[in-house]
Amino acid sequence: MSRIALHWRILLGMVLGVIYGLLSATFGWSRFTSDWVVPFGDIFLNLLKVIAVPLIVGSIVTGVASLSDIRKLSRIGGKTVAIYMGTTAVAITVGLVMVNVFQPGNSVPHELQQELQATYQSDADFGVDEAEAVQSHGPLQTFVDMIPTNIVGAAGNNRNMLQVVVFSLLLGVALVMLPFEKAKPLIDVFASLTAVIIQIVQLIMVMAPIGVFGLIAKTINQVAKDDIGAAVELLGALGFYCLVVVGGLLLHALITFPVLLKIFTRVSIVKFFKAIAPAQLLAFSTSSSGATLPVTMDVCQKRVGVSKEVSSFVLPLGATINMDGTALYQAVAAVFIAQTLGMGLDIGAQLQILLTAVFASIGAAAVPGAGLIILVIILEAIGVPTAGIALILGVDRILDMCRTAVNVTGDATVATVVDSIEGGLRPPDEAALEGTA
Ligand code: ASP
């Protein structure tokens, strides 16, 4: 393996991907790009996805089983969920403050609103249908949906990650409750499975720079096709809205998380961000915290020094339920749509957004575009026409990349904080940080 650190290699792949994508759109190479460049991105993404389910099962079962007593599990579990929900609520508040201060919706010209609605209406209808299925049930449906009726079925679809998490937790708890000699063979199998998967991650990461190159080129290819001008125009029109979302995400990532780390841990903020950079870059390139999970676990354990015990439980849970970036984005998007449609939202409606977005982000799957679909639930809750989604659809992919990077940063931060509170955080493996990881 090369001696250049992994995050630099991924970054290089990304920059070259952007340059190539722009050239491809400018010179009309989209056919060549989708035939010969995009497949490398897809292969890389598929490799990451294929290990997500075994990794979640293996790591949660071994993580829970290693806690050795149920009281410790409920203590760590309780803290984890509380911090996850707390940071998500802060994220939403940041989003709400930003969108109310800057009011991006009031700067969209009327003709443009109509143009956007007309262009994206059919796509938006599709998303609305999907989300209506989700939200036509009662308030407890989210919990019903968490429980699988068939574990093979649940494991067969990466969107059902939360069901797999719940089943793995159940398995882990039962193993802790059994006499040790009865539980040991199965615990050993899962521990071995986890070790093998982590090893596979190392292999997959060899192709990360090429994979990221393909994924970024693919995104630009999809957004711009062969008409870079149209893409730039759209970005210009919705640029202020995008800036507000990205500004909020940056604030949350660069203030909320570092403050948490400062209060609860002794890790250096710079080193922390340097250590998790490969996971952030990957989250940005794949728009999927589920696909990024193997790398998030790897960097947290090897480069931040989070114990296996905590990371193998906190991170898979976080990838599925903790989405600060998504929640922040949903708050901004909901108010932006209301502003654009000329609807004022009073403080009650904004509080409603806060509450709904905490739960909506838990329900959002760790896959590209999930946040946009779940946004429908929030819009319904505050009485804003869901068709308004058509306004923001065109730029969603770009914002998805940014919010996913923040989602993953949040998971890594909370894992570090919980481990530090539990006294497990050890000094990172310096060699791993300097080298290839
Ligand atoms: N793509 C995001 C994730 O996987 C979810 C979202 O669409 O906001 O974390």
Side-chain angles (χ1 to χ4, degrees):
M1 245 192 271
S2 108
R3 260 184 287 127
I4 307 169
L6 181 63
H7 55 276
W8 290 121
R9 281 184 283 139
I10 296 181
L11 203 61
L12 184 69
M14 218 163 179
V15 172
L16 292 179
V18 172
I19 296 174
Y20 176 81
L22 292 175
L23 287 176
S24 160
T26 313
F27 295 111
W29 302 338
S30 72
R31 186 61 211 263
F32 176 85
T33 305
S34 53
D35 283 352
W36 295 99
V37 179
V38 172
F40 291 97
D42 289 341
I43 290 172
F44 176 61
L45 193 58
N46 288 353
L47 283 169
L48 286 172
K49 283 184 185 164
V50 77
I51 54 173
V53 168
L55 178 68
I56 287 187
V57 178
S59 64
I60 291 193
V61 173
T62 28
V64 171
S66 71
L67 289 175
S68 67
D69 81 84
I70 296 292
R71 256 173 307 151
K72 192 166 180 193
L73 172 67
S74 48
R75 196 182 64 223
I76 297 187
K79 268 179 208 156
T80 305
V81 173
I83 304 177
Y84 274 156
M85 293 183 87
T87 50
T88 305
V90 173
I92 298 166
T93 312
V94 171
L96 285 176
V97 170
M98 292 285 291
V99 73
N100 280 298
V101 169
F102 293 106
Q103 313 245 343
N106 295 338
S107 67
V108 179
H110 189 64
E111 314 80 69
L112 183 71
Q113 276 176 33
Q114 285 175 335
E115 212 179 290
L116 287 169
Q117 297 235 22
T119 316
Y120 292 103
Q121 193 56 57
S122 53
D123 293 340
D125 286 345
F126 175 70
V128 170
D129 285 350
E130 241 184 273
E132 261 167 12
V134 180
Q135 68 98 52
S136 61
H137 304 287
L140 294 183
Q141 189 61 35
T142 314
F143 298 102
V144 176
D145 291 340
M146 280 179 175
I147 315 296
T149 50
N150 180 311
I151 188 56
V152 179
N157 182 347
N158 282 356
R159 282 179 180 266
N160 291 337
M161 225 65 115
L162 197 51
Q163 297 189 342
V164 177
V165 168
V166 170
F167 183 76
S168 311
L169 283 171
L170 205 61
L171 206 61
V173 170
L175 283 172
V176 175
M177 295 167 81
L178 276 181
F180 185 65
E181 65 280 7
K182 277 243 160 65
K184 187 168 183 311
L186 205 51
I187 294 179
D188 286 345
V189 168
F190 282 113
S192 174
L193 174 71
T194 314
V196 167
I197 298 288
I198 298 279
Q199 197 55 49
I200 295 179
V201 176
Q202 308 288 335
L203 291 176
I204 297 175
M205 289 315 281
V206 174
M207 81 165 289
I210 298 170
V212 165
F213 175 87
L215 286 171
I216 297 283
K218 176 180 179 174
T219 308
I220 297 186
N221 203 34
Q222 273 171 350
V223 175
K225 299 273 180 340
D226 282 335
D227 185 2
I228 190 97
V232 171
E233 209 173 292
L234 181 65
L235 261 181
L238 292 178
F240 192 29
Y241 155 70
C242 292
L243 274 183
V244 173
V245 174
V246 173
L249 291 174
L250 281 175
L251 273 183
H252 192 59
L254 299 178
I255 296 182
T256 314
F257 296 146
V259 166
L260 269 181
L261 289 169
K262 209 79 245 130
I263 297 176
F264 292 105
T265 76
R266 295 235 229 96
V267 294
S268 129
I269 310 289
V270 175
K271 276 198 180 149
F272 173 81
F273 276 95
K274 212 172 147 195
I276 65 160
Q280 290 174 314
L281 293 173
L282 215 60
F284 185 83
S285 324
T286 60
S287 289
S288 165
S289 26
T292 311
L293 177 65
V295 178
T296 318
M297 292 191 58
D298 194 52
V299 295
C300 280
Q301 287 174 6
K302 296 215 182 96
R303 294 159 60 107
V304 182
V306 180
S307 71
K308 279 211 170 107
E309 194 182 46
V310 165
S311 61
S312 55
F313 162 68
V314 175
L315 290 173
L317 191 67
T320 39
I321 70 163
N322 181 49
M323 297 198 182
D324 287 11
T326 299
L328 189 154
Y329 144 85
Q330 286 173 330
V332 177
V335 180
F336 170 77
I337 292 172
Q339 285 169 353
T340 317
L341 301 181
M343 303 171 64
L345 292 179
D346 59 8
I347 188 80
Q350 309 241 2
L351 271 178
Q352 181 96 21
I353 294 180
L354 181 75
L355 277 181
T356 333
V358 170
F359 291 99
S361 68
I362 292 177
V367 297
L372 181 79
I373 292 171
I374 299 289
L375 177 63
V376 174
I377 296 176
I378 299 173
L379 294 179
E380 292 273 349
I382 54 173
V384 171
T386 47
I389 282 200
L391 292 169
I392 55 167
L393 212 61
V395 289
D396 191 65
R397 179 60 197 225
I398 297 160
L399 296 179
D400 197 1
M401 298 162 92
C402 304
R403 65 189 189 241
T404 308
V406 173
N407 290 345
V408 167
T409 310
D411 299 340
T413 304
V414 175
T416 311
V417 166
V418 171
D419 200 33
S420 176
I421 297 176
E422 287 295 316
L425 202 65
R426 60 182 171 76
D429 181 348
E430 290 294 334
L433 189 55
E434 299 309 326
T436 51

